Amino acid sequence: MTVEIYAPHKTLFSGKAISVTLPGSMGKFAILDNHAPLISVLEKGNIRITRPNQEDTSLDIISGFVEVNNNLVKICVEIK
């Protein structure tokens, strides 16, 4: 799947991923390939991206939201 993370005025990450773990308003949750369409609010916490044959990428956020559709994960966040 493709993951794109945006903050105001810049792209923080864009690339392929095996999974993404997100801090949802009701707790952490993970997105994998072929996930059902989803829109969710994100709260303060950590986003962890697991990429093929690479180290995990981690990002601390203040808030945001995520949209998942057709193996494209778009995440808009506020960071410090």
Side-chain angles (χ1 to χ4, degrees):
M1 72 184 155
T2 301
V3 177
E4 298 172 351
I5 302 177
Y6 303 101
H9 310 294
K10 66 180 172 179
T11 300
L12 301 173
F13 178 87
S14 181
K16 297 291 182 185
I18 297 170
S19 70
V20 182
T21 303
L22 302 159
S25 59
M26 297 181 71
K28 287 185 179 184
F29 65 99
I31 305 294
L32 302 171
D33 270 345
N34 300 314
H35 196 285
L38 167 80
I39 296 177
S40 180
V41 173
L42 304 176
E43 294 191 347
K44 185 176 182 177
N46 181 269
I47 296 174
R48 180 168 301 275
I49 302 166
T50 302
R51 299 183 291 164
N53 303 317
Q54 296 183 26
E55 289 188 30
D56 288 359
T57 300
S58 183
L59 175 67
D60 291 325
I61 66 167
I62 296 172
S63 65
F65 64 91
V66 59
E67 176 188 21
V68 180
N69 196 17
N70 293 326
N71 281 328
L72 176 59
V73 180
K74 293 183 182 179
I75 305 168
C76 296
V77 298
E78 180 182 357
I79 57 174
K80 291 182 183 180

